Amino acid sequence: MSDRAVSPLAGAESSGFAKVSEAGLRGMITLRGDLADAGFAGAVKAVTGCDVPGRREVVEQGGKGVAWMSPDELLVMVPHAEAEAAVAQLSQALAGSHFLAVNVSDARAVFTIEGAGAREVLAKLAPVDLSPEAFGAGQIRRTRLAQVPAAFWLSGEEVFTLVAFRSVAQYVFDLLTVSAKAGSEVGFLAR
Amino acid sequence: MSTRLATQGRLINRDKRLEFTFNGKRLQGYEGDTLAAALLANDQMLVGRSFKYHRPRGILASGSEEPNALVNLGEGARLEPNQRATTTELFHGLTATSQNHFPSLEFDIGEINNSLARFLPAGFYYKTFIHPRFAWKHVFEPFIRQSAGLGKAPKEADADRYEHFYAFVDVLVIGGGVAGLQAARAAGEAGARVLLIEQEPHWGGRAPVDGAVIEGKPAEDWVKDTLQALEAMENVTLRNRMMGAGVYDHGYALGYERVADHIPGSDLPRHRLWRIRAKQIVTATGAIERPLSFAGNDIPGVMLATAVRDYVVNYGVSPGDRTVVVTNNDDAYRTALCLKRAGLDVPMIVDVRPLVTSPLATEALQAGIRVETGKGIAKVKGRKRVTGVALCLQAGEGSVIEEVKCDAVAMSGGFSPVVHLWSHCGGKLIWDEANAHFRPDPARAPTGAQGEAFVVTAGMASGAMTTGEVLADADAAGKAAARAAGFTPRRFAAPKAAEEPSEPMAPVWMMPQGASYDLRMKMWLDFQNDVKVSDVQLAAREGYESVEHTKRYTTLGMATDQGKLSNINGLAVLADALGEDIPQVGTTTFRPPYTPISMGAIAGEARGEIFQPLRRTPIHGWHEAHGAHWEPVGHWRRPYAYPKAGETVEEAVHREVLNTRRRVGLLDASTLGKIVVKGPDAGRFLDMLYTNMMSTLKVGRCRYGLMCNENGFLSDDGVVARIDEDTWLCHTTSGGADRIHQWMEEWLQTEWWDWKVYVANLTEQYAQIAVVGPDARHVLERLGGMDVSKETLPFMGWQEGKLGGFDARVFRISFSGELSYEIAVPASQGLAFWEALMEVGEAYGMQPYGTEALHIMRAEKGFIMIGDETDGTVIPQDLGLHWAISKKKEDYLGKRAQARSFMDNPDRWQLVGLETLDGSVLPDGCYAIGEGTNANGQAEMFGRVTSTYYSPTLGRGIAMGLVHNGPQRMGEVIRFGTPDKSFVEARIVDPVFYDKEGEKQNV
């Protein structure tokens, strides 16, 4: 009943020196297994069209993607309506091996932070080197956003995608909004 | 008189007047003034009262070392106490009041303490603790509480906002004087990512005031050029109004940026706390001038010589018309010359050194200033303001040779490098005989994880004393830091400065050196905490040999200025009293922050709505719209009850219980932990985690299980469902989900890493809703979809399918004793599903119920609750849960602990039901009182209440409790103590109060 499915903040938006938006529902699958195994990589490729990313990396293409989460865990991303089918497809492909594939789409809230100041918005909340030299396209950080866990990566030149837990969606949105408040640009990362 | 001069004032803009008030008096200053400069310009030398003796205190310094000029700044929601006037930038509309006086600054009753000074010696507080015993509580404490304390605590919530910022750099340079600028330049030219921070609003430090000449131009021009060069570098960031507050392990440093202190109400974050990771840290923190210890050195009008110069040159303010300069070094001559050039009178330079022939001395003589060598000040005359000084021989005992009229005294006791940041993380110091100061020992720097030095000092902070030495040292420091951070420094030479020849200084710790006791008890070491030379000497006589003990006994250096001016002088006096060398006595520990930082900056963004994360279920908004009375459960908010109009919360709870028992109720159970465990070894893993067997559970079935820690104590409970051959779904308590997930990962990663098991926390993936009550099945049938009959979905079974078109997993489990279904749907559909249930349930009188109704219904059934019946010291056996402990299993976590003699023992407090004889509700947590008293003279206790409620179903109070040997005492009546010291009698009964056979849930 995907027509009754709602994202936690109904696409809430705010703007300051960066634009913050709740990005709606996204299909996400926690996939655990042997990342080095060829069969595993093949299953990931078949579902997403993407290769298994390296350590702290993410690949995205055509609305699908794969993010490295830990030495034995990936986050597989597909359109929300396709998540259950993707779990089934992965489970079938990996049957017989030791793996775990579970739909975690609804356990998450997804945000985008856009604009020249996006890096500084995140740098107020996460202990991560967000300078362009240190953090570029294709990288992902699982980290802490103030008091909650989060992960983020660059989806475009000045666009970050951020994933957090659904129950704290409002907290995360409020954090990002207050950090992006106009006038509070730090002027350290974007000079 | 202190006043504004017609000329000078390089930092002020005379075209822009600013109005401000001090103690309600309307005053004027200029843009660029500090509050201290503006106060002096208005002849407001008296700014406060001292902490202990309430002596009149004036402005002493011009920077962050100021001990006296602390004010209450702002009003209402922007009131902040203990703000240093010397580092507060003046802004239009500033309001300040002085501190620690009653009834007024000019006339203060507490000043009587001053006459009692003989009776308030060092260690006064400690002595009052013991002599006589009764006096502390009844006499001294009330008195001290009344008189102690500096500023007022604000009463309103802070109106401002604050934030943090994480920065990563190659080289952090702390201090923006000429040393910091040169170090940043050298590191920047090497290509390092550099952050240069300066606590003041302006750059260049004191070099421009001191008249330094660098590369043939005045320091001011060199600073301007260097700033320009730095600003042009992409890899260098300059931040002023930002203090290096602390240096910590692994190159971590805190920067305290005062973003909007000088523009209040601007809607900017007031302070920003920078949390910096630097590969290398350069501390170019300069030096602080030391006061001299002579009698009356705390009388308003006595100031540091460099501060006097700062006020004249930077702000065009003269601290007095006639200033006597007293010194043990050449630098103070610059102050005398500066005053003379400003057209002010310098009646005399008093120099302790017997012979002075340096160029500065010659210049002073040529300027017509009388220089008295080999002399000291016997005492300062005046009370609220200096009126003169009495001259004596430094080598003598203080016989007055001559009295000189003056209204200010500029003193200089030499310079101490600011070693605080170097020392925070373990940098060591060496004693420099020539300059009589501690300076950093470059051979013993703070070290990182690989043992490598990560802090280097630059300029005066290293102990360099002339501009030339400062620049050479800073250039080398910048290059060394860049090199250590992996860059290759350029081969540019350090800038050259004009020579500054001088005579050696002479260490002087007391003036005159043979001063009598009467003089010594008027020689202030710590101006803020009122510690004098005589106090430190007394401490030494009373046996305080360690500088750390003396510090605490006398409170030397324990005020808000952390002894920036007093520590070295104090320990020199201590060393002298102990007959030891200064380096043997050593320094006290330097701790961050360098100067106090605001609580707001530490909290950052965490206030108001985002003080803490609030976890919301997908149905949270509905609960809110339907008047939920909330209960915090971990970071979640759960509805406690849904009171209707005109209904109390308690009435609502009773209604919800009865409606659920008689008809049907609805509970948002989404917060329940849901952890999936999968793999060939998952069954074996769960058999170790739970006390009972989980590997034998059949697919499609559920089983209640208990988890214990290694010590055998009950840690969590919940229902486990077997999903397929190698997958189980473990439900945990709401508060336990994250902890149990972590617990599982820990065992899998550290002990059983070779077991093939994966776990994932799916708590938030599902909205879980309990439909509970005799009509529960009818409601689901009306929703349509999967067969929920007893035959297809029996008690303790689960099924997956469609319900009302929703993707649902339905568990036939019951925490209420009623016919009950717990239904999980994807969280995104949770609200729609809840609303669909409410719609079809209406025909059956379905009502939502909250956590309190849930608690009552589980207590009526005798079900335990983790956190109520358990407290970390309770084993399952205490709770009569033997049936849930497998005897067949070889091992499980906690098994061995539960076999220890004091655990496997009937002589423990064990779970029973309790019924008061009068039907009342027992107070929560109250104790069963026995006969007699224990060894501590307390009443003997042999049990306590763990859960207690009014049961609307039974119409009486029911309770559960842990009672010594409880299950063997059925029917016995015992007494419980209540908070009002009366007793309630209760009978020990079976903990299951309702439907003992369990027929209702199994229909």
Side-chain angles (χ1 to χ4, degrees):
Chain A
M1 293 301 297
S2 55
D3 56 328
R4 293 191 239 184
V6 291
S7 68
L9 301 180
E13 282 183 9
S14 70
S15 61
F17 68 84
K19 185 181 164 199
V20 176
S21 6
E22 194 238 359
L25 292 166
R26 187 149 187 194
M28 294 193 183
I29 296 146
T30 288
L31 180 62
R32 300 186 69 172
D34 180 0
L35 270 52
D37 180 73
F40 185 87
V44 170
K45 183 112 187 172
V47 169
T48 61
C50 301
D51 292 325
V52 171
R55 187 165 161 247
R56 288 213 308 261
E57 287 176 1
V58 58
V59 276
E60 280 186 297
Q61 63 175 51
K64 296 182 178 180
V66 188
W68 183 92
M69 290 277 117
S70 81
D72 68 358
E73 183 178 333
L74 298 179
L75 184 67
V76 173
M77 294 173 280
V78 296
H80 188 258
E82 296 171 25
E84 279 301 328
V87 169
Q89 192 185 341
L90 285 166
S91 301
Q92 199 170 12
L94 295 170
S97 72
H98 175 42
F99 76 100
L100 174 72
V102 282
N103 185 354
V104 294
S105 315
D106 286 5
R108 305 288 159 83
V110 185
F111 296 88
T112 55
I113 304 103
E114 292 172 67
R119 287 175 183 272
E120 286 195 344
V121 173
L122 291 173
K124 289 182 185 184
L125 301 166
V128 171
D129 187 353
L130 277 146
S131 63
E133 305 82 58
F135 195 99
Q139 294 189 49
I140 184 169
R141 284 292 187 289
R142 288 182 79 179
T143 180
R144 166 176 76 73
L145 204 71
Q147 300 173 56
V148 294
F152 51 76
W153 64 92
L154 275 166
S155 292
E157 181 77 3
E158 290 176 341
V159 186
F160 280 89
T161 301
L162 181 144
V163 180
F165 282 106
R166 182 181 178 115
S167 66
V168 292
Q170 187 66 49
Y171 172 76
V172 168
F173 181 76
D174 291 347
L175 278 180
L176 293 168
T177 299
V178 75
S179 298
K181 210 165 167 184
S184 68
E185 295 90 337
V186 180
F188 179 72
L189 296 172
R191 296 217 300 155
Chain B
M1 282 285 284
S2 64
T3 188
R4 184 80 68 181
L5 297 164
T7 57
Q8 307 215 52
R10 55 185 279 270
L11 299 179
I12 58 166
N13 173 9
R14 290 183 192 253
D15 295 334
K16 192 143 183 220
R17 285 179 182 277
L18 302 174
E19 300 232 337
F20 70 103
T21 69
F22 179 71
N23 285 344
K25 213 176 349 171
R26 290 167 66 91
L27 303 170
Q28 280 191 345
Y30 291 123
E31 185 181 72
D33 266 333
T34 61
L35 175 57
L39 286 169
L40 287 174
N42 286 280
D43 195 27
Q44 186 68 51
M45 175 63 84
L46 175 66
V47 288
R49 293 274 172 171
S50 70
F51 189 68
K52 195 164 149 189
Y53 305 129
H54 289 236
R55 283 174 64 95
R57 284 293 157 78
I59 294 160
L60 183 66
S62 57
S64 60
E65 70 273 31
E66 173 63 40
N68 294 338
L70 303 185
V71 296
N72 293 307
L73 194 65
E75 292 172 309
R78 288 207 160 86
L79 168 67
E80 199 166 27
N82 300 342
Q83 296 302 291
R84 283 177 309 285
T86 51
T87 57
T88 299
E89 288 178 68
L90 194 68
F91 55 84
H92 192 74
L94 178 151
T95 60
T97 57
S98 52
Q99 302 186 156
N100 202 30
H101 56 70
F102 176 82
S104 76
L105 178 60
E106 296 293 326
F107 175 76
D108 180 78
I109 286 177
E111 203 176 344
I112 194 166
N113 289 6
N114 189 22
S115 342
L116 299 176
R118 278 179 196 277
F119 308 105
L120 296 168
F124 165 74
Y125 297 120
Y126 298 100
K127 285 163 182 158
T128 60
F129 290 157
I130 40 177
H131 294 301
R133 276 280 177 196
F134 73 91
W136 170 253
K137 190 173 171 190
H138 300 288
V139 181
F140 294 117
E141 190 185 0
F143 170 73
I144 288 166
R145 287 218 182 276
Q146 165 72 26
S147 64
L150 290 168
K152 292 179 204 147
K155 292 199 169 70
E156 289 176 43
D158 191 333
D160 285 300
R161 66 193 184 90
Y162 303 84
E163 65 184 27
H164 292 175
F165 187 74
Y166 295 90
F168 294 73
V169 295
D170 298 315
V171 178
L172 168 67
V173 181
I174 301 172
V178 292
L181 291 168
Q182 181 56 34
R185 183 172 191 161
E189 280 166 346
R193 180 85 177 90
V194 177
L195 173 61
L196 169 62
I197 65 176
E198 162 57 43
Q199 60 185 354
E200 302 285 332
H202 47 85
W203 299 93
R206 20 183 341 96
V209 178
D210 292 353
V213 176
I214 306 170
E215 289 182 324
K217 41 191 172 185
E220 183 128 33
D221 294 346
W222 182 85
V223 167
K224 210 174 285 170
D225 294 348
T226 307
L227 273 177
Q228 234 167 39
L230 288 169
E231 272 159 10
M233 292 187 202
E234 279 287 311
N235 54 327
V236 176
T237 304
L238 300 160
R239 288 315 264 217
N240 57 5
R241 298 191 174 94
M242 182 158 154
M243 173 189 63
V247 170
Y248 307 84
D249 282 317
H250 305 289
Y252 182 59
L254 282 186
Y256 175 64
E257 187 182 15
R258 303 202 286 165
V259 182
D261 268 347
H262 59 300
I263 35 175
S266 62
D267 197 38
L268 293 176
R270 180 166 165 245
H271 299 150
R272 181 181 290 132
L273 192 68
W274 288 58
R275 307 172 70 164
I276 305 161
R277 288 275 172 198
K279 289 185 187 146
Q280 288 284 309
I281 297 172
V282 178
T283 62
T285 44
I288 290 177
E289 191 170 35
R290 293 190 295 258
L292 284 166
S293 300
F294 48 82
N297 63 349
D298 70 325
I299 294 170
V302 180
M303 298 174 73
L304 294 173
T306 48
V308 168
R309 200 150 88 223
D310 284 341
Y311 286 114
V312 172
V313 177
N314 285 338
Y315 308 105
V317 168
S318 88
D321 294 350
R322 288 167 62 82
T323 305
V324 167
V325 174
V326 52
T327 184
N328 65 351
N329 66 80
D330 266 20
D331 187 72
Y333 285 74
R334 293 194 175 99
T335 298
L337 290 164
C338 157
L339 289 167
K340 205 74 182 166
R341 275 196 295 274
L344 297 161
D345 192 13
V346 181
M348 187 186 290
I349 295 175
V350 182
D351 195 325
V352 299
R353 295 172 295 181
L355 184 68
V356 188
T357 56
S358 65
L360 275 167
T362 312
E363 204 182 331
L365 288 169
Q366 281 165 358
I369 302 172
R370 181 178 159 201
V371 178
E372 282 292 337
T373 56
K375 306 289 190 319
I377 288 178
K379 62 162 71 161
V380 177
K381 315 286 256 184
R383 199 170 68 87
K384 283 189 212 160
R385 185 67 207 247
V386 171
T387 57
V389 297
L391 208 62
C392 66
L393 289 173
Q394 169 59 18
E397 294 178 21
S399 297
V400 176
I401 300 171
E402 177 187 349
E403 290 196 359
V404 181
K405 287 209 176 309
C406 62
D407 56 0
V409 176
M411 61 178 167
S412 180
F415 292 83
S416 296
V418 174
V419 297
H420 301 62
L421 292 155
W422 166 267
S423 303
H424 283 168
C425 201
K428 298 289 184 280
L429 306 175
I430 42 178
W431 178 251
D432 183 314
E433 285 288 346
N435 291 305
H437 62 210
F438 282 104
R439 62 177 166 81
D441 180 357
R444 294 180 294 162
T447 49
Q450 315 297 326
E452 79 290 4
F454 72 86
V455 181
V456 55
T457 58
M460 288 192 96
S462 305
M465 296 308 286
T466 65
T467 311
E469 288 166 14
V470 161
L471 289 166
D473 183 66
D475 186 66
K479 285 172 177 165
R483 195 177 298 113
F487 297 85
T488 309
R490 307 280 294 271
R491 287 168 175 273
F492 300 133
K496 295 266 183 294
E499 296 225 0
E500 294 157 7
S502 66
E503 298 241 335
M505 57 89 72
V508 165
W509 308 114
M510 205 158 75
M511 180 179 277
Q513 69 163 24
S516 66
Y517 179 74
D518 274 352
L519 291 179
R520 281 183 276 134
M521 69 173 289
K522 295 289 179 202
M523 292 178 184
W524 261 258
L525 290 168
D526 188 320
F527 295 84
Q528 201 176 117
N529 264 0
D530 271 332
V531 182
K532 300 157 298 171
V533 168
S534 56
D535 295 322
V536 171
Q537 290 171 332
L538 177 66
R541 281 203 304 281
E542 292 186 351
Y544 289 87
E545 292 177 9
S546 152
V547 64
E548 294 283 8
H549 289 161
T550 299
K551 166 181 169 173
R552 282 152 185 82
Y553 192 57
T554 61
T555 72
L556 177 83
M558 288 174 68
T560 65
D561 61 347
Q562 293 182 290
K564 288 188 176 62
L565 295 179
S566 61
N567 280 346
I568 303 297
N569 285 351
L571 74 90
V573 169
L574 179 66
D576 178 62
L578 295 171
E580 286 183 28
D581 292 336
I582 290 171
Q584 264 69 65
V585 173
T587 65
T588 51
T589 309
F590 295 90
R591 293 193 177 86
Y594 176 60
T595 62
I597 66 175
S598 62
M599 300 304 280
I602 296 168
E605 82 298 324
R607 61 176 304 178
E609 283 293 305
I610 51 174
F611 171 65
Q612 260 200 339
L614 176 63
R615 298 180 75 182
R616 293 167 165 91
T617 76
I619 310 158
H620 187 96
W622 190 96
H623 302 320
E624 204 159 41
H626 289 77
H629 180 82
W630 297 103
E631 175 181 36
V633 178
H635 281 170
W636 297 100
R637 285 289 179 283
R638 298 189 68 183
Y640 178 92
Y642 302 82
K644 293 182 174 174
E647 202 177 38
T648 67
V649 174
E650 193 183 13
E651 286 164 355
V653 168
H654 296 164
R655 168 179 54 75
E656 289 169 11
V657 170
L658 293 175
N659 188 68
T660 306
R661 289 256 184 252
R662 289 170 189 165
R663 309 190 75 178
V664 60
L666 196 61
L667 176 81
D668 180 3
S670 304
T671 60
L672 212 64
K674 307 161 199 79
I675 300 170
V676 69
V677 179
K678 176 177 183 281
D681 294 316
R684 179 186 176 199
F685 176 63
L686 293 178
D687 281 348
M688 282 303 293
L689 249 57
Y690 286 93
T691 60
N692 47 351
M693 284 290 227
M694 288 300 170
S695 56
T696 56
L697 185 62
K698 291 193 166 42
V699 173
R701 298 291 297 168
C702 302
R703 184 171 289 165
Y704 174 74
L706 305 171
M707 278 195 219
C708 296
N709 61 22
E710 309 97 308
N711 299 320
F713 298 121
L714 189 50
S715 154
D716 207 74
D717 70 347
V719 169
V720 178
R722 186 156 189 182
I723 305 299
D724 61 34
E725 201 45 48
D726 60 0
T727 311
W728 282 255
L729 180 67
C730 303
H731 289 108
T732 74
T733 58
S734 291
D738 292 327
R739 177 172 57 87
I740 297 300
H741 179 223
Q742 215 168 351
W743 176 243
M744 290 176 167
E745 280 290 355
E746 187 185 336
W747 284 100
L748 287 172
Q749 290 181 28
T750 63
E751 293 295 326
W752 305 319
W753 47 269
D754 52 338
W755 293 13
K756 288 186 169 175
V757 183
Y758 284 127
V759 300
N761 188 349
L762 297 183
T763 301
E764 297 198 19
Q765 169 66 17
Y766 300 102
Q768 193 139 319
I769 297 166
V771 182
V772 180
D775 281 327
R777 186 173 288 133
H778 298 138
V779 171
L780 297 193
E781 281 168 353
R782 187 171 277 222
L783 205 54
M786 59 193 277
D787 183 359
V788 292
S789 66
K790 184 184 179 182
E791 294 67 35
T792 318
L793 185 53
F795 184 54
M796 294 307 270
W798 71 268
Q799 257 190 9
E800 216 163 51
K802 292 273 184 190
L803 261 186
F806 291 86
D807 307 313
R809 190 181 271 159
V810 185
F811 305 88
R812 270 268 337 249
I813 53 182
S814 179
F815 198 40
S816 56
E818 297 298 331
L819 171 64
S820 163
Y821 297 85
E822 283 195 17
I823 305 143
V825 301
S828 63
Q829 303 172 39
L831 177 61
F833 183 59
W834 176 275
E835 285 174 333
L837 281 168
M838 285 303 296
E839 201 178 312
V840 295
E842 204 179 352
Y844 299 94
M846 187 166 77
Q847 295 176 5
Y849 68 93
T851 51
E852 186 63 0
L854 165 136
H855 277 257
I856 292 175
M857 288 191 280
R858 67 95 193 166
E860 288 172 343
K861 281 292 292 176
F863 293 146
I864 62 137
M865 179 68 83
I866 299 292
D868 284 341
E869 276 64 45
T870 70
D871 63 358
T873 69
V874 172
I875 57 174
Q877 291 86 342
D878 294 338
L879 302 179
L881 294 169
H882 302 81
W883 58 268
I885 301 167
S886 167
K887 306 211 170 30
K888 286 182 271 178
K889 286 199 294 192
E890 198 176 301
D891 198 10
Y892 61 83
L893 295 179
K895 183 178 170 91
R896 183 173 175 280
Q898 288 163 4
R900 288 183 291 183
S901 60
F902 51 91
M903 298 280 230
D904 183 23
N905 192 326
D907 196 28
R908 290 176 64 87
W909 289 13
Q910 290 166 315
L911 189 76
V912 292
L914 296 163
E915 270 182 5
T916 50
L917 299 190
D918 61 4
S920 64
V921 180
L922 278 168
D924 202 0
C926 67
Y927 280 86
I929 309 292
E931 297 301 326
T933 54
N934 64 17
N936 296 321
Q938 300 156 325
E940 279 292 353
M941 292 173 285
F942 62 94
R944 65 182 167 84
V945 171
T946 55
S947 291
T948 176
Y949 303 96
Y950 175 77
S951 162
T953 316
L954 304 173
R956 56 164 298 126
I958 60 166
M960 286 192 272
L962 295 166
V963 175
H964 186 230
N965 267 328
Q968 272 71 56
R969 301 166 72 160
M970 285 297 152
E972 192 180 320
V973 174
I974 58 177
R975 290 192 311 165
F976 284 90
T978 68
D980 62 13
K981 297 194 160 63
S982 61
F983 295 97
V984 185
E985 288 186 314
R987 180 173 285 113
I988 296 177
V989 296
D990 187 286
V992 185
F993 294 93
Y994 177 75
D995 186 28
K996 288 191 202 299
E997 288 69 39
E999 284 170 354
K1000 288 181 178 287
Q1001 63 196 11
N1002 196 13
V1003 293

